[in-house]
PDB file of all heavy atoms in Angstrom:
ATOM      1  N   VAL A  54      39.989 -81.480-231.260  1.00  0.00           N
ATOM      2  CA  VAL A  54      39.751 -81.707-229.761  1.00  0.00           C
ATOM      3  C   VAL A  54      40.124 -83.107-229.410  1.00  0.00           C
ATOM      4  O   VAL A  54      39.758 -84.069-230.086  1.00  0.00           O
ATOM      5  CB  VAL A  54      38.222 -81.453-229.484  1.00  0.00           C
ATOM      6  CG1 VAL A  54      37.948 -81.597-227.956  1.00  0.00           C
ATOM      7  CG2 VAL A  54      37.770 -80.003-229.895  1.00  0.00           C
ATOM      8  N   PHE A  55      40.873 -83.172-228.280  1.00  0.00           N
ATOM      9  CA  PHE A  55      41.326 -84.490-227.791  1.00  0.00           C
ATOM     10  C   PHE A  55      40.911 -84.599-226.347  1.00  0.00           C
ATOM     11  O   PHE A  55      40.978 -83.568-225.574  1.00  0.00           O
ATOM     12  CB  PHE A  55      42.890 -84.582-227.865  1.00  0.00           C
ATOM     13  CG  PHE A  55      43.372 -84.429-229.259  1.00  0.00           C
ATOM     14  CD1 PHE A  55      43.568 -83.227-229.854  1.00  0.00           C
ATOM     15  CD2 PHE A  55      43.701 -85.555-229.945  1.00  0.00           C
ATOM     16  CE1 PHE A  55      44.100 -83.060-231.139  1.00  0.00           C
ATOM     17  CE2 PHE A  55      44.250 -85.474-231.217  1.00  0.00           C
ATOM     18  CZ  PHE A  55      44.434 -84.223-231.824  1.00  0.00           C
ATOM     19  N   VAL A  56      40.556 -85.725-225.887  1.00  0.00           N
ATOM     20  CA  VAL A  56      40.187 -85.983-224.482  1.00  0.00           C
ATOM     21  C   VAL A  56      41.119 -87.197-224.093  1.00  0.00           C
ATOM     22  O   VAL A  56      41.011 -88.274-224.680  1.00  0.00           O
ATOM     23  CB  VAL A  56      38.746 -86.261-224.261  1.00  0.00           C
ATOM     24  CG1 VAL A  56      38.492 -86.625-222.758  1.00  0.00           C
ATOM     25  CG2 VAL A  56      37.938 -85.042-224.629  1.00  0.00           C
ATOM     26  N   ASN A  57      41.889 -86.934-223.076  1.00  0.00           N
ATOM     27  CA  ASN A  57      42.854 -88.000-222.548  1.00  0.00           C
ATOM     28  C   ASN A  57      43.635 -88.604-223.644  1.00  0.00           C
ATOM     29  O   ASN A  57      43.877 -89.847-223.652  1.00  0.00           O
ATOM     30  CB  ASN A  57      42.023 -89.035-221.723  1.00  0.00           C
ATOM     31  CG  ASN A  57      41.459 -88.402-220.489  1.00  0.00           C
ATOM     32  OD1 ASN A  57      42.004 -87.497-219.914  1.00  0.00           O
ATOM     33  ND2 ASN A  57      40.272 -88.901-220.082  1.00  0.00           N
ATOM     34  N   GLY A  58      44.069 -87.825-224.621  1.00  0.00           N
ATOM     35  CA  GLY A  58      44.944 -88.250-225.774  1.00  0.00           C
ATOM     36  C   GLY A  58      44.212 -88.849-226.926  1.00  0.00           C
ATOM     37  O   GLY A  58      44.821 -89.150-227.921  1.00  0.00           O
ATOM     38  N   THR A  59      42.896 -88.964-226.870  1.00  0.00           N
ATOM     39  CA  THR A  59      42.164 -89.501-228.014  1.00  0.00           C
ATOM     40  C   THR A  59      41.413 -88.418-228.762  1.00  0.00           C
ATOM     41  O   THR A  59      40.730 -87.577-228.095  1.00  0.00           O
ATOM     42  CB  THR A  59      41.087 -90.590-227.449  1.00  0.00           C
ATOM     43  OG1 THR A  59      41.795 -91.620-226.788  1.00  0.00           O
ATOM     44  CG2 THR A  59      40.280 -91.139-228.577  1.00  0.00           C
ATOM     45  N   HIS A  60      41.592 -88.435-230.072  1.00  0.00           N
ATOM     46  CA  HIS A  60      40.864 -87.443-230.906  1.00  0.00           C
ATOM     47  C   HIS A  60      39.370 -87.681-230.858  1.00  0.00           C
ATOM     48  O   HIS A  60      38.895 -88.799-231.100  1.00  0.00           O
ATOM     49  CB  HIS A  60      41.411 -87.574-232.292  1.00  0.00           C
ATOM     50  CG  HIS A  60      40.828 -86.521-233.282  1.00  0.00           C
ATOM     51  ND1 HIS A  60      39.773 -86.816-234.039  1.00  0.00           N
ATOM     52  CD2 HIS A  60      41.199 -85.282-233.483  1.00  0.00           C
ATOM     53  CE1 HIS A  60      39.504 -85.767-234.807  1.00  0.00           C
ATOM     54  NE2 HIS A  60      40.336 -84.795-234.405  1.00  0.00           N
ATOM     55  N   VAL A  61      38.588 -86.639-230.479  1.00  0.00           N
ATOM     56  CA  VAL A  61      37.205 -86.781-230.400  1.00  0.00           C
ATOM     57  C   VAL A  61      36.367 -85.966-231.370  1.00  0.00           C
ATOM     58  O   VAL A  61      35.186 -86.120-231.534  1.00  0.00           O
ATOM     59  CB  VAL A  61      36.684 -86.501-228.976  1.00  0.00           C
ATOM     60  CG1 VAL A  61      37.112 -87.508-227.968  1.00  0.00           C
ATOM     61  CG2 VAL A  61      37.032 -85.083-228.534  1.00  0.00           C
ATOM     62  N   GLY A  62      37.055 -85.082-232.131  1.00  0.00           N
ATOM     63  CA  GLY A  62      36.367 -84.243-233.135  1.00  0.00           C
ATOM     64  C   GLY A  62      37.221 -83.146-233.636  1.00  0.00           C
ATOM     65  O   GLY A  62      38.256 -82.721-233.098  1.00  0.00           O
ATOM     66  N   THR A  63      36.791 -82.609-234.827  1.00  0.00           N
ATOM     67  CA  THR A  63      37.411 -81.553-235.491  1.00  0.00           C
ATOM     68  C   THR A  63      36.333 -80.501-235.923  1.00  0.00           C
ATOM     69  O   THR A  63      35.276 -80.877-236.333  1.00  0.00           O
ATOM     70  CB  THR A  63      38.142 -82.025-236.790  1.00  0.00           C
ATOM     71  OG1 THR A  63      39.156 -82.997-236.384  1.00  0.00           O
ATOM     72  CG2 THR A  63      38.832 -80.893-237.548  1.00  0.00           C
ATOM     73  N   HIS A  64      36.734 -79.266-235.725  1.00  0.00           N
ATOM     74  CA  HIS A  64      35.823 -78.166-236.119  1.00  0.00           C
ATOM     75  C   HIS A  64      36.545 -77.279-237.176  1.00  0.00           C
ATOM     76  O   HIS A  64      37.709 -76.999-236.962  1.00  0.00           O
ATOM     77  CB  HIS A  64      35.455 -77.319-234.978  1.00  0.00           C
ATOM     78  CG  HIS A  64      34.716 -76.045-235.319  1.00  0.00           C
ATOM     79  ND1 HIS A  64      33.345 -76.093-235.723  1.00  0.00           N
ATOM     80  CD2 HIS A  64      35.104 -74.810-235.409  1.00  0.00           C
ATOM     81  CE1 HIS A  64      33.010 -74.837-236.013  1.00  0.00           C
ATOM     82  NE2 HIS A  64      34.063 -74.030-235.831  1.00  0.00           N
ATOM     83  N   VAL A  65      35.838 -76.987-238.244  1.00  0.00           N
ATOM     84  CA  VAL A  65      36.340 -76.040-239.286  1.00  0.00           C
ATOM     85  C   VAL A  65      35.371 -74.950-239.390  1.00  0.00           C
ATOM     86  O   VAL A  65      34.171 -75.182-239.590  1.00  0.00           O
ATOM     87  CB  VAL A  65      36.510 -76.812-240.616  1.00  0.00           C
ATOM     88  CG1 VAL A  65      37.019 -75.840-241.694  1.00  0.00           C
ATOM     89  CG2 VAL A  65      37.452 -77.987-240.474  1.00  0.00           C
ATOM     90  N   GLY A  66      35.808 -73.722-239.231  1.00  0.00           N
ATOM     91  CA  GLY A  66      34.885 -72.594-239.456  1.00  0.00           C
ATOM     92  C   GLY A  66      35.104 -71.393-238.572  1.00  0.00           C
ATOM     93  O   GLY A  66      34.158 -70.755-238.166  1.00  0.00           O
ATOM     94  N   ALA A  67      36.346 -71.026-238.345  1.00  0.00           N
ATOM     95  CA  ALA A  67      36.692 -69.794-237.798  1.00  0.00           C
ATOM     96  C   ALA A  67      35.823 -69.475-236.475  1.00  0.00           C
ATOM     97  O   ALA A  67      35.977 -70.168-235.529  1.00  0.00           O
ATOM     98  CB  ALA A  67      36.614 -68.649-238.749  1.00  0.00           C
ATOM     99  N   ALA A  68      34.968 -68.470-236.550  1.00  0.00           N
ATOM    100  CA  ALA A  68      34.422 -67.900-235.333  1.00  0.00           C
ATOM    101  C   ALA A  68      33.049 -68.544-234.892  1.00  0.00           C
ATOM    102  O   ALA A  68      32.400 -68.096-234.025  1.00  0.00           O
ATOM    103  CB  ALA A  68      34.188 -66.430-235.538  1.00  0.00           C
ATOM    104  N   SER A  69      32.693 -69.666-235.554  1.00  0.00           N
ATOM    105  CA  SER A  69      31.374 -70.242-235.158  1.00  0.00           C
ATOM    106  C   SER A  69      31.557 -71.264-234.005  1.00  0.00           C
ATOM    107  O   SER A  69      32.579 -71.865-233.795  1.00  0.00           O
ATOM    108  CB  SER A  69      30.831 -71.020-236.326  1.00  0.00           C
ATOM    109  OG  SER A  69      31.665 -72.033-236.845  1.00  0.00           O
ATOM    110  N   ALA A  70      30.580 -71.231-233.083  1.00  0.00           N
ATOM    111  CA  ALA A  70      30.554 -72.113-231.947  1.00  0.00           C
ATOM    112  C   ALA A  70      30.365 -73.584-232.363  1.00  0.00           C
ATOM    113  O   ALA A  70      29.799 -73.848-233.409  1.00  0.00           O
ATOM    114  CB  ALA A  70      29.464 -71.659-231.004  1.00  0.00           C
ATOM    115  N   PHE A  71      30.827 -74.479-231.536  1.00  0.00           N
ATOM    116  CA  PHE A  71      30.609 -75.931-231.749  1.00  0.00           C
ATOM    117  C   PHE A  71      30.644 -76.687-230.452  1.00  0.00           C
ATOM    118  O   PHE A  71      31.140 -76.264-229.463  1.00  0.00           O
ATOM    119  CB  PHE A  71      31.649 -76.434-232.757  1.00  0.00           C
ATOM    120  CG  PHE A  71      33.115 -76.426-232.232  1.00  0.00           C
ATOM    121  CD1 PHE A  71      33.714 -77.545-231.727  1.00  0.00           C
ATOM    122  CD2 PHE A  71      33.816 -75.285-232.290  1.00  0.00           C
ATOM    123  CE1 PHE A  71      34.998 -77.546-231.306  1.00  0.00           C
ATOM    124  CE2 PHE A  71      35.141 -75.247-231.854  1.00  0.00           C
ATOM    125  CZ  PHE A  71      35.748 -76.381-231.342  1.00  0.00           C
ATOM    126  N   SER A  72      30.035 -77.877-230.462  1.00  0.00           N
ATOM    127  CA  SER A  72      29.972 -78.718-229.309  1.00  0.00           C
ATOM    128  C   SER A  72      30.374 -80.077-229.679  1.00  0.00           C
ATOM    129  O   SER A  72      30.233 -80.617-230.763  1.00  0.00           O
ATOM    130  CB  SER A  72      28.545 -78.834-228.797  1.00  0.00           C
ATOM    131  OG  SER A  72      28.130 -77.561-228.421  1.00  0.00           O
ATOM    132  N   ILE A  73      31.008 -80.838-228.699  1.00  0.00           N
ATOM    133  CA  ILE A  73      31.475 -82.225-228.952  1.00  0.00           C
ATOM    134  C   ILE A  73      31.146 -83.088-227.732  1.00  0.00           C
ATOM    135  O   ILE A  73      31.447 -82.666-226.632  1.00  0.00           O
ATOM    136  CB  ILE A  73      33.047 -82.237-229.258  1.00  0.00           C
ATOM    137  CG1 ILE A  73      33.312 -81.516-230.555  1.00  0.00           C
ATOM    138  CG2 ILE A  73      33.533 -83.746-229.307  1.00  0.00           C
ATOM    139  CD1 ILE A  73      34.744 -81.457-230.965  1.00  0.00           C
TER     140      ILE A  73
END
Side-chain angles (χ1 to χ4, degrees):
V54 181
F55 300 82
V56 175
N57 296 327
T59 300
H60 183 264
V61 293
T63 299
H64 171 75
V65 178
S69 59
F71 64 101
S72 298
I73 296 179

